Amino acid sequence: MSWLFAIFGLGLVWLWWDGLGAREVARRTGMDMCLKHDVQFLDDTVMQAKLALRRDAGGNPRIYRRFDFEFSTDGDSRYRGHVEMLGQYVVATYMEPYRV
């Protein structure tokens, strides 16, 4: 029975560790999007909004994560964007329409 807890614990540690890597990829992607559009990436962070299992193009199960971030055009207004990931790969990005 204790081996079951050990396997469960190792699975949680792996999920946490994998999430740290995915968060860093999403943060860098959000920063790059903001640089490309000449807007300010706010708070230098992303927040995980969704976590689920989904299948990739080959039919293999992968962890799907959506990370939200905020950006600004003038320092006062706040707009939202997000980065969607399947495993460690970015599959979609989005930025709200904003005023220049």
Side-chain angles (χ1 to χ4, degrees):
M1 189 65 155
S2 64
W3 60 269
L4 188 60
F5 288 117
I7 290 173
F8 182 72
L10 286 173
L12 286 177
V13 168
W14 175 83
L15 185 64
W16 173 76
W17 187 261
D18 188 60
L20 289 178
R23 177 182 294 272
E24 181 58 27
V25 171
R27 188 182 72 78
R28 279 186 279 135
T29 301
M31 288 177 68
D32 290 346
M33 290 171 60
C34 289
L35 282 172
K36 179 181 175 185
H37 294 278
D38 198 28
V39 296
Q40 182 182 3
F41 183 69
L42 297 177
D43 305 326
D44 195 36
T45 190
V46 293
M47 291 104 1
Q48 185 169 313
K50 290 185 181 179
L51 177 68
L53 279 176
R54 296 214 178 144
R55 295 197 181 270
D56 62 12
N60 301 311
R62 300 280 181 227
I63 296 176
Y64 166 84
R65 293 179 175 93
R66 181 177 135 181
F67 293 93
D68 293 344
F69 63 92
E70 293 184 328
F71 63 95
S72 178
T73 56
D74 58 9
D76 289 327
S77 58
R78 292 178 92 88
Y79 299 95
R80 299 198 77 146
H82 67 256
V83 177
E84 296 180 22
M85 300 185 65
L86 207 52
Q88 295 291 321
Y89 301 100
V90 175
V91 294
T93 59
Y94 172 78
M95 293 177 79
E96 275 183 344
Y98 57 89
R99 290 189 168 200
V100 179

